Structure formats: structure tokens, C-alpha cells
């Protein structure tokens, strides 16, 4: 694959990623993606026979970008593993505020949009959530000595994900950061209770 075709493919994926995140998958037309990428339909269908194939590539981009686009930024000045969990949540909080509650978690939005997704789409969304949860789980595992042995690292990491996704959804619905803050405050209290019990 030469540089020109590689560049075209990347533009298609990057612009689809942006449009799917801001407009939603169903509301984004192929023509909009082509226009934003400055590409023609032949280029699109050369790389992606269907729109869902393009979505699968977008999900792969999210997977590859989790650390450089999110975690590295959230954790740049945070060394404590538990505080890293809450620094990550604070990134989502700031995105909500900065976009006036328009933008939250694009993966969560896609998961809600697809009632019965293509197996490859479902697998891509699940793989991204699993990676996110595993990274949070590593933070919890790095602080393992602060918790009783009965505390499940995986279950606690999943609880963090559900708190974030629920907080994003409610804050976007109500146009207020209150629900997100309340959920994170209760999560913080739960972490503190677990650590005190140790």
C-alpha cells in the first residue's frame, strides 16, 4: 500500500471517527464522510466495502488510541494508582463541561445506538471497553495492598466503568455535571470504605 492510499484510508477513518462521535453512526452519511475526508466513493469502497466496515476500523483506532489519546494525558502528572482512576474520570468530566454536555464517551454512545449490532461491531465495542477496564484494573492492582483480599480487581474496575458511563449519560440528558459528580463522589466514598476496611 503506497503513502497516498495509506493517507486516504487514515483520513477516512479519522473523519468517520469524528463524525460518528459528534453526530452518531446512523445520522452520519457516507457523503459526509467523503466530503470531510476529501475522498471519492471509489476510495472509500476500496478500503471499506460497507459503512460498518469503516466503523470497525474506527473502533480499532479507538483501541489503538486509548493510551496516547486519553490515558497518557490523564495520568501525566499523577503517580498514585488510585488517584489515576479519579484523574481519568475527571477527564470525562472536563470533556462534558467543555462541550456543554454534548460530548461524553463515544463508545458508550455507539453501544446504545446499536440494538443488534453486527458481530464485528459488538466485538469491537466490547474489546474497547475491556481494554479501558483492564487499564483501570491495573491501577487497582497496583494498590492491591490497600484492599482486603476478597475485593475483586476486575469487578471494581467494572464498577468504575459503569459509574463513568452512567454519569456521562445522565449529565448529557440533564445538561448538568451534577449527576456525574454525584456518581464519582459515591465511587470515591466506596473506595475509601474499602481501604478503611483493610
Amino acid at each position: 500500500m503506497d503513502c497516498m492510499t495509506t493517507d486516504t484510508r487514515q483520513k477516512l477513518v479519522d473523519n468517520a471517527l469524528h463524525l460518528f462521535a459528534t453526530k452518531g453512526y446512523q445520522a452520519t452519511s457516507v457523503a459526509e464522510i467523503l466530503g470531510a475526508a476529501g475522498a471519492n466513493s471509489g476510495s472509500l469502497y476500496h478500503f471499506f466495502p460497507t459503512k460498518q466496515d469503516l466503523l470497525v476500523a474506527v473502533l480499532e483506532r479507538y483501541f489503538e488510541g486509548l493510551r496516547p489519546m486519553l490515558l497518557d494525558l490523564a495520568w501525566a502528572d499523577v503517580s498514585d494508582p488510585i488517584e489515576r482512576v479519579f484523574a481519568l474520570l475527571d477527564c470525562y468530566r472536563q470533556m462534558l463541561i467543555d462541550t456543554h454536555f454534548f460530548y461524553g464517551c463515544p463508545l458508550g454512545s455507539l453501544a446504545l445506538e446499536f440494538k443488534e449490532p453486527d458481530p464485528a461491531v459488538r466485538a469491537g465495542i466490547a474489546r474497547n471497553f475491556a481494554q479501558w477496564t483492564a487499564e483501570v484494573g491495573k491501577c487497582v492492582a497496583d494498590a492491591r495492598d490497600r484492599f482486603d483480599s476478597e475485593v475483586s480487581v476486575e469487578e471494581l474496575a467494572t464498577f468504575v466503568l459503569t459509574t463513568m458511563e452512567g454519569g456521562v449519560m445522565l449529565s448529557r440528558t440533564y445538561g448538568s455535571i451534577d449527576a456525574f459528580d454525584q456518581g464519582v463522589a459515591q465511587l470515591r466514598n466506596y473506595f475509601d470504605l474499602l481501604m478503611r476496611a483493610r
Side-chain angles (χ1 to χ4, degrees):
M1 189 181 294
D2 61 35
C3 291
M4 184 66 73
T5 55
T6 300
D7 185 56
T8 300
R9 185 185 190 282
Q10 183 169 318
K11 284 181 179 178
L12 288 165
V13 174
D14 288 346
N15 284 281
L17 183 152
H18 173 73
L19 287 166
F20 293 164
T22 55
K23 291 190 65 176
Y25 172 79
Q26 301 292 352
T28 299
S29 69
V30 169
E32 286 176 291
I33 297 167
L34 291 172
N40 58 50
S41 58
S43 297
L44 176 67
Y45 294 116
H46 171 72
F47 296 110
F48 309 107
T50 69
K51 186 179 168 187
Q52 281 199 200
D53 290 320
L54 178 56
L55 175 56
V56 170
V58 166
L59 292 170
E60 183 63 28
R61 178 63 55 82
Y62 277 125
F63 185 85
E64 294 168 352
L66 177 66
R67 183 160 285 280
M69 293 192 303
L70 182 61
L71 299 184
D72 288 346
L73 299 174
W75 296 344
D77 301 312
V78 185
S79 57
D80 182 88
I82 298 302
E83 293 311 315
R84 283 189 161 200
V85 173
F86 290 94
L88 179 56
L89 294 173
D90 194 56
C91 276
Y92 287 92
R93 181 184 193 276
Q94 198 59 51
M95 280 190 282
L96 284 164
I97 292 172
D98 290 346
T99 61
H100 303 287
F101 308 101
F102 177 74
Y103 188 83
C105 174
L107 293 168
S109 297
L110 284 168
L112 290 172
E113 188 173 357
F114 278 86
K115 304 297 185 280
E116 289 298 331
D118 178 272
V121 173
R122 183 186 296 278
I125 294 171
R127 183 171 179 242
N128 274 276
F129 279 142
Q131 183 192 30
W132 195 101
T133 307
E135 291 289 349
V136 171
K138 289 176 189 173
C139 293
V140 176
D142 287 344
R144 197 71 186 89
D145 60 340
R146 303 184 205 178
F147 301 100
D148 279 341
S149 58
E150 302 86 48
V151 173
S152 166
V153 168
E154 294 78 13
E155 290 177 7
L156 193 52
T158 299
F159 186 31
V160 173
L161 176 64
T162 56
T163 299
M164 183 276 285
E165 289 292 351
V168 165
M169 182 177 65
L170 290 174
S171 287
R172 291 185 67 190
T173 299
Y174 293 116
S176 166
I177 202 63
D178 291 350
F180 189 90
D181 284 349
Q182 289 163 6
V184 172
Q186 289 304 309
L187 182 69
R188 171 75 80 172
N189 289 340
Y190 185 60
F191 267 73
D192 289 344
L193 283 170
L194 290 175
M195 289 187 285
R196 281 202 297 272
R198 176 73 177 87

